[in-house]
Amino acid sequence: MERVLIVDDNPAVLDSIGLLLELHGIESVGCDSPEAALTAVREQSIGVVIQDMNFSEDTTSGDEGVKLFGELRNLDTDLPIILLTGWADLETAVQLIQQGAADYQSKPWDDDKLVTSVRNLLEMRTLQADNIRLNAASRNRAKQLENIELCGTIVASSSLQSAVELAANVARSDVPVLITGPNGSGKEQLAQIVHANSERAAKPFVAVNMGALPDDLLEAELFGVVAGAFTGANQTREGRFSKADGGTLFLDEIGNLSHAGQMKLLRVLQTGEFEPLGSNETKRVHVRIVSATNADLPAAIQAGEFREDLYYRLNVIEVRLDGLADRKEDIIPLAKFFLQQDTLPKGVARALELHDWPGNVRELQNACSRAALLRGDGSFEVQHFGLEPPAIGAIEMSADDIKLALSDNDGVVAKAARSLGLSRQALYRRMEKLGIEN
C-alpha cells in the first residue's frame, strides 16, 4: 500500500497524525514544508496527502496551502489530498474541494473520521491503479488479437488470450489439433477459431458429438449410409466426413468414444478412405481434424480405455482451455454480453466473480438467461442468478456505487441493498459511514 504524506510545520501535528495512522497499520511520512512535500511526492510512492493550509508563523490566509495544493495536483492529477483547516481558512478549503480536493478536516480533527477518510482514499487509489493496469492490459490484448478472427469470442483474461493465439497460430498449418479443457469451457468456440483462421475458412465446419453416438449409428453418422443398408435406412444419406470435405471436422467428446468406434476412426485417419454403410464404393475426402475432450487421455491410455495410436493421430498440437475458475477476468464481460448490459450492480458482479462456475461458460450463460427472465422491470439482483449474496467483507464499493444503486432503484434502500448484495441494515451503515443521504 502507498504511504500517506503528512505536511504541517508543527512537529506535534506530524507526530500525532503519524502515530494515529501507525496504530491503524497505515504507513506515513511527515514533511514540515511545501518544498519537502513536493520532493517526497516526486521521489516516493505517495497514495494520500494530508496537508495544512498555512506553513509560516503568524500566517492564516491559507494562500500557502492553495499554492501547495496546485503544485501537488500538477505533479499527480489524481493524488487524493485531505486539507487540514482552521476556522480562518474553511472557506478556502471548500473552494479547493470544488477544485478536486478529496476531503477537509477541521483542527482539532476527529481521529476516527480522519482514519476512515484515509482508508477510503487509499482503497480508491488502489482501485484506480488496478483499473489503469487492467485497461492497459485490455488495450494491449485487443491490439494483439485484432488480426485474429475471434468468431464472437469474448477475450478478457490472459489465459484465454494465450489459448486463442495458439489456436490461431496452429490454424495456419493443416495438422490435427486436440483441444482439452473442462465441460462448458468453450472448446467448440476454440475449434471454430482454428477453422476461421485457416485456409479452409471458406469451406464447411462440421461438428459432431462423438460421445453421443451409439456404436450402431457411428458408421452411418460419420461415413454415410446408402438406402437399404439396414432396416429403417430408406434413403441415401451423406456422412459427416463427406459434409466436411475441404473444411474442418470437429470431433467433440472424443474421450467418450467406444473401443470399436476408436478403431473405425483410426482407420479413416490413417488412410483417408472410408466406405459408406451398405456400399462397396471407397470414398476419399480431405478434411482437417480438430477434436476435443474433457478427459485425461494419457490416463485413459494407461487404463487401457483409449488407443495410444489414435491419441497421437489426434494430438499433433494440443490447445489447453482453462475453466472459468482460472479465467476470472472473463466472467463479467461474458455476463454483460449474455445480458446485453453495459454495467452490472456491484453486488451482482462480485457474486458472479466469487462463484466457482463448475459448469463454466455454459453455466454462466444459463444463469444469465435465468436472471433475464426473473428480473422483470427492476434491476438485476444476486438472487436472480441463483447465487447467494457475497459476504459483506467481500464487496468493496465506493460512495458512487451506492449512489448509483439508489438512483437505479428510485431511492428505495431495500431494493438498492439487494442489488448490491447487502442487507438493508448493512447499506444504512455504509451510507452513514460515507455521509450519503438518500
Side-chain angles (χ1 to χ4, degrees):
M1 184 177 290
E2 295 177 300
R3 292 177 172 183
V4 175
L5 173 63
I6 311 163
V7 192
D8 200 297
D9 61 327
N10 186 338
V13 172
L14 296 179
D15 291 342
S16 179
I17 296 179
L19 179 59
L20 172 66
L21 296 178
E22 182 182 348
L23 290 173
H24 288 83
I26 302 172
E27 188 177 352
S28 66
V29 58
C31 294
D32 60 4
S33 70
E35 295 76 21
L38 294 171
T39 299
V41 171
R42 290 189 191 98
E43 298 179 353
Q44 300 184 45
S45 180
I46 302 298
V48 173
V49 173
I50 303 173
Q51 71 154 80
D52 194 13
M53 294 297 294
N54 300 286
F55 302 98
S56 299
E57 196 171 344
D58 299 326
T59 299
T60 59
S61 67
D63 291 344
E64 293 171 315
V66 172
K67 182 181 178 184
L68 175 59
F69 174 81
E71 291 173 328
L72 289 171
R73 297 281 293 193
N74 286 336
L75 289 178
D76 185 345
T77 306
D78 298 321
L79 182 62
I81 300 174
I82 300 173
L83 307 170
L84 285 180
T85 68
W87 66 271
D89 41 49
L90 179 58
E91 183 177 347
T92 302
V94 172
Q95 292 174 354
L96 293 183
I97 288 288
Q98 294 171 346
Q99 296 176 30
D103 194 8
Y104 71 87
Q105 300 277 336
S106 299
K107 291 182 178 180
W109 59 87
D110 181 296
D111 285 353
D112 290 338
K113 288 185 178 179
L114 181 59
V115 170
T116 297
S117 182
V118 168
R119 281 194 188 281
N120 288 339
L121 291 172
L122 284 173
E123 289 178 5
M124 181 185 71
R125 178 81 164 175
T126 300
L127 289 173
Q128 287 175 338
D130 289 343
N131 285 336
I132 290 172
R133 185 170 60 253
L134 289 173
N135 287 337
S138 179
R139 287 193 298 272
N140 183 53
R141 186 172 298 119
K143 186 174 182 180
Q144 292 175 331
L145 296 174
E146 62 186 12
N147 294 321
I148 298 175
E149 173 53 61
L150 297 176
C151 302
T153 306
I154 305 296
V155 183
S157 67
S158 57
S159 169
L160 182 55
Q161 179 187 356
S162 298
V164 166
E165 288 179 341
L166 179 56
N169 287 335
V170 302
R172 300 186 184 100
S173 65
D174 215 28
V175 299
V177 176
L178 175 65
I179 302 173
T180 58
N183 279 336
S185 56
K187 296 189 290 295
E188 182 169 349
Q189 193 76 6
L190 209 58
Q192 290 178 342
I193 290 175
V194 172
H195 174 71
N197 290 275
S198 72
E199 294 181 356
R200 299 173 178 266
K203 298 295 185 177
F205 174 87
V206 177
V208 53
N209 186 340
M210 303 297 286
L213 290 180
D215 284 346
D216 55 352
L217 293 181
L218 179 68
E219 286 187 84
E221 284 293 326
L222 292 183
F223 312 131
V225 60
V226 298
F230 56 84
T231 302
N234 299 321
Q235 58 185 4
T236 299
R237 183 155 50 91
E238 195 175 31
R240 304 297 180 93
F241 270 89
S242 295
K243 289 180 179 179
D245 192 16
T248 300
L249 181 61
F250 175 54
L251 306 177
D252 198 8
E253 302 296 347
I254 194 69
N256 295 334
L257 191 60
S258 68
H259 278 284
Q262 291 174 37
M263 186 61 206
K264 293 171 183 176
L265 178 61
L266 178 62
R267 178 177 175 274
V268 179
L269 296 182
Q270 286 174 331
T271 65
E273 298 177 345
F274 63 91
E275 292 84 33
L277 192 62
S279 171
N280 294 322
E281 180 186 358
T282 298
K283 287 194 171 185
R284 173 177 288 273
V285 293
H286 189 212
V287 298
R288 202 260 184 85
I289 299 294
V290 178
S291 53
T293 183
N294 67 331
D296 183 347
L297 291 187
I301 292 170
Q302 291 294 322
E305 297 170 355
F306 200 84
R307 293 182 63 100
E308 186 174 18
D309 46 3
L310 177 58
Y311 173 73
Y312 287 113
R313 282 279 178 184
L314 297 171
N315 187 18
V316 176
I317 295 288
E318 180 178 350
V319 180
R320 172 70 190 178
L321 188 58
D322 290 330
L324 273 186
D326 298 312
R327 291 161 40 197
K328 292 289 188 183
E329 302 94 330
D330 292 322
I331 293 173
I332 301 306
L334 281 168
K336 290 178 180 178
F337 173 77
F338 293 141
L339 295 167
Q340 296 297 293
Q341 298 288 314
D342 294 328
T343 60
L344 292 175
K346 190 86 174 225
V348 167
R350 193 63 180 138
L352 293 173
E353 289 175 329
L354 290 174
H355 187 60
D356 286 337
W357 300 109
N360 296 292
V361 179
R362 188 178 297 125
E363 180 188 358
L364 175 59
Q365 185 172 12
N366 290 342
C368 289
S369 297
R370 166 197 166 104
L373 290 172
L374 296 179
R375 178 182 62 156
D377 296 328
S379 61
F380 285 107
E381 299 175 9
V382 175
Q383 293 84 348
H384 293 154
F385 295 82
L387 303 176
E388 291 295 324
I392 292 176
I395 306 176
E396 297 295 341
M397 61 185 64
S398 67
D400 287 341
D401 294 321
I402 293 175
K403 290 176 183 176
L404 180 61
L406 289 167
S407 175
D408 288 344
N409 290 278
D410 300 320
V412 180
V413 174
K415 290 183 178 180
R418 285 198 299 270
S419 73
L420 291 167
L422 300 173
S423 67
R424 184 173 56 181
Q425 293 77 10
L427 180 54
Y428 272 125
R429 288 195 296 271
R430 291 195 175 214
M431 291 170 62
E432 182 179 359
K433 178 181 177 182
L434 296 172
I436 298 173
E437 294 184 3
N438 190 10

